[in-house]
Amino acid sequence: MSDGRSGGGADAAPLPAAARRRFGPMRPELFLLAPLLLFVLAFEIYPILVMAWRSFFDRAGDVTLANYLRILEDPVYRTAVRNSLLFATAGAMVGAVGGTFVGYLAPRLPPRIHRFLLSLYSLPLTLSGLVVAFAFIVLLGRNGVLNLIVQQVFGLPRDVYFDIYSWYGIVLVYAFFQIPLMTLTMAAVFENLDRSLIEAARNLGARPWQVWRYVVVPVLAPGFLAGLSIQFAGLLGAFGTVLALVGGAKNLLAIQIYYHTSESTYDLPQAAALSITLIAIIAGVLVLLNRLERWARRSGGG
Amino acid sequence: MHRLSAFQVLLLILLVAFVVVPIAMPVIFSFSLFWQDILPEGFTLRWYQKILAKPATSRSLGVSLIVATSAVLLNLLIAVPAGYAISRLHGRFRRFMTTVARVLPLVLPPVIVGTALLLAFSKPPFAFSGTIWMVIVAHTLLGFPFMIRNTLASFDTIDVDTLSEAAASLGANLWQRLRYVIVPNVLPGVLAGALLVFAISIGEFEVTSMVAGFEAQTLPLQLFQQIRNDMRIASAISAFLVYVSLVCFLGMTWLGGYLRERRA
């Protein structure tokens, strides 16, 4: 034990000059981080800790696990968790496939147009979820313009229309956010894909599937998975656009949390427990995708 | 500039339409008298006048502008120095800070930030929830990742050390180095970040709806009510929010082009 301690001391004491340069000495600039750290501590970390704490109390103030047990047992909450996972998976898939497709095609346009397109695809990032909900109600609602056009072109009866208020509809509306988001990620990834590497592999006699397996996928996979985690995390927490489209008619975890913090079904400790559950689910998905990402990197780079 | 092939033209039209057609809907709706059939009818500015004429909506316009401006200013005060500090860090600590800045907003989506703020700040002595201050704080939090990313990118593209030393060797003091060397080099990136934060704040609904209460009703909260009550006022509010996004987007695109040209 004392050996270990003295060994540690010997390591720490004469910090090599190279290491000191790498980690940097305590610079005065570091104090510029202080406002950010204080703000995040006061308004993000502290509230999250309060929330975690409160999730173990009932509304009378007694310690309890009931808030969590209810999430495990109550069919409403179980359905909410299941729906959230399904919705996020569907939305992330649509976004990932669509975004990869656009990210792959965009570089085939002339550079100026390619650049314009990518900056156009950053526009949805700043757009209010409610504006998008409004836009799609006008476009694809029961009397939506696109529905009317399709009905008249194909002579369909009035009760045949695309239902924006169904799960498919909601996933489609979210694609308006998710596809551009993924496009921005994948466009950068495709730019890193070295065409000469593919040609070299072909010249060495690699078959098409081998080129994909050993050259293309290992380069694309890490970026793709990183993009996918952003999609998943965003969709698991999303509720604004859903709320504007269908109110509380669709049972999602984020919608449950929202309703437990508002007047009608006000129950803050339950909202806290649901929030902690949501954080755990998002973190779980992120860790899983991160593992996959590392594995993909290793199996390619090896 | 070379000519596009038919495939490229078709591709471009589809890709542009995907973003532009939905965004055009509220704008067209907001200027038309009726829109029952495929084509809208008539032209009017009445729905925009209604925003200003109705006390609830005109007040929320003011609240939104105050909140967005404050969130930008707070981000300039807090996230820009942090972005600079992170750009001066090396190795593990820098990786840690950038990872936190990237992952934290993913793990803590708006619905959770809203719930946590409600729980932490609803009782005295910290009863801020339901006030405009809480909304400003929430929007500032949501803006951090973007502001830090932009600031970090601008500081990374210039070599602050070399430039500062060169300026110092020519006799420039700290203030002069800031004024003539550092600020002009990072201003475009920081401004782009500010525009992004402004646009996000103006349109934010999720956290706002949880912490705003009655006092701090922003435009998106009014929009949420009007989507159920009056699609015309809703169209005008939506269109206004689209204009703000567009102006910010054009500004960011212009700044991006300006940066590219200067670097070339």
Side-chain angles (χ1 to χ4, degrees), chain B residues 3 29-30 42 49 51 60 62 69 104 107 126 129 147 154 162-163 166 171 176 179 184 186 196 208 217 228 249 262:
Chain B
R3 294 186 50 169
F29 203 117
S30 69
Q49 284 162 3
I51 298 184
S60 71
T69 311
L104 208 59
V107 186
F126 303 117
S129 103
M147 199 54 151
S154 346
T162 315
L163 280 178
Q176 288 169 322
R179 167 75 182 75
V186 297
L196 190 54
T208 318
Q217 291 277 313
R228 278 114 206 273
F249 159 79
R262 213 181 45 186

Side-chain angles (χ1 to χ4, degrees), chain A residues 21-23 27 29-30 32-33 35-37 39-40 42-44 46-48 50-51 54 102 105 108-110 112-113 115-117 119-131 134-139 145 148-149 152 175-176 179-180 230 233 237-241 243-244 247 254 257-258 261 268 271-272 275 278-279 282-283 286, chain B residues 1-2 4 7-8 11-12 15-16 18-23 25-26 29 35-38 78 81-82 84-86 88-93 97 103-104 106-109 111-113 115-121 123 137 140-141 144 146 148 196 199 203 205-206 209-210 220 223-224 227-228 231 234-235 238 241-242 245-246 249 252-253 260:
Chain A
R21 219 174 303 126
R22 199 151 59 88
F23 296 113
R27 292 217 188 102
E29 280 105 336
L30 280 183
L32 292 173
L33 273 176
L36 176 81
L37 294 180
F39 198 91
V40 169
F43 296 115
E44 199 148 27
Y46 166 71
I48 296 288
V50 169
M51 185 173 79
R54 287 279 297 277
V102 181
L105 286 175
R108 299 179 169 226
L109 295 163
R112 270 180 70 116
I113 298 180
R115 265 207 308 276
F116 160 76
L117 201 69
S119 73
L120 182 67
Y121 271 51
S122 65
L123 186 55
L125 198 76
T126 67
L127 219 53
S128 175
L130 294 188
V131 171
F134 179 88
F136 276 90
I137 292 172
V138 175
L139 202 57
V145 186
L148 290 180
I149 291 176
Q152 290 185 13
F176 180 79
I179 290 179
I230 298 174
F239 76 96
T241 310
L243 201 68
I257 297 172
Y258 172 79
T261 63
L268 281 182
S275 297
L278 181 55
I279 293 179
I282 295 176
L286 289 184
Chain B
M1 195 161 167
H2 55 97
L4 299 174
F7 165 75
Q8 284 177 319
L11 178 69
L12 187 64
L15 293 183
V16 170
F18 177 76
V19 171
V20 169
V21 168
I23 293 176
M25 290 300 119
F29 203 117
W35 196 356
Q36 311 290 1
D37 213 343
I38 288 177
I78 296 172
Y84 171 68
I86 295 174
R88 309 296 308 267
L89 295 171
H90 302 281
R92 228 186 302 177
F93 195 40
M97 290 302 295
V103 175
L104 208 59
L106 290 180
V107 186
L108 304 178
V111 67
I112 285 170
V113 173
T115 309
L117 287 175
L118 263 185
L119 276 157
F121 299 112
K123 283 189 207 133
V137 163
T140 307
L141 278 177
F144 276 162
F146 301 99
I148 291 178
L196 190 54
F205 166 72
E206 301 192 338
S209 69
M210 301 177 85
L223 172 57
F224 183 70
I227 285 182
R228 278 114 206 273
M231 282 293 269
S235 76
S238 294
L241 294 176
V242 168
S245 275
L246 274 177
F249 159 79
M252 286 187 286
T253 309
R260 239 193 330 275

Side-chain angles (χ1 to χ4, degrees), chain A residues 140-163:
Chain A
L140 279 167
R142 229 138 273 179
N143 289 311
V145 186
L146 265 185
N147 272 330
L148 290 180
I149 291 176
V150 170
Q151 276 165 1
Q152 290 185 13
V153 168
F154 294 101
L156 296 170
R158 288 285 288 141
D159 57 345
V160 177
Y161 55 86
F162 181 82
D163 187 3

Side-chain angles (χ1 to χ4, degrees), chain B residues 176-205:
Chain B
Q176 288 169 322
R177 291 203 297 268
L178 268 177
R179 167 75 182 75
Y180 296 105
V181 179
I182 297 179
V183 170
N185 272 299
V186 297
L187 197 60
V190 170
L191 274 180
L195 286 173
L196 190 54
V197 171
F198 189 86
I200 289 172
S201 169
I202 279 278
E204 213 289 327
F205 166 72

Side-chain angles (χ1 to χ4, degrees), chain A residues 144-225:
Chain A
V145 186
L146 265 185
N147 272 330
L148 290 180
I149 291 176
V150 170
Q151 276 165 1
Q152 290 185 13
V153 168
F154 294 101
L156 296 170
R158 288 285 288 141
D159 57 345
V160 177
Y161 55 86
F162 181 82
D163 187 3
I164 203 74
Y165 309 106
S166 66
W167 281 115
Y168 296 105
I170 295 170
V171 170
L172 179 93
V173 175
Y174 270 92
F176 180 79
F177 293 111
Q178 304 301 325
I179 290 179
L181 196 59
M182 193 70 179
T183 300
L184 297 181
T185 311
M186 288 315 283
V189 174
F190 276 112
E191 262 168 41
N192 286 339
L193 184 63
D194 193 348
R195 306 232 164 246
S196 59
L197 211 60
I198 298 175
E199 262 153 47
R202 280 214 193 102
N203 291 341
L204 290 170
R207 288 153 203 272
W209 73 265
Q210 284 175 318
V211 173
W212 272 94
R213 166 70 185 77
Y214 295 105
V215 181
V216 179
V217 171
V219 175
L220 296 188
F224 178 83
L225 290 168

Side-chain angles (χ1 to χ4, degrees), chain B residues 148-159:
Chain B
I148 291 178
R149 196 181 306 160
N150 269 9
T151 313
L152 192 56
S154 346
F155 277 115
D156 278 350
T157 51
I158 64 163
D159 188 346

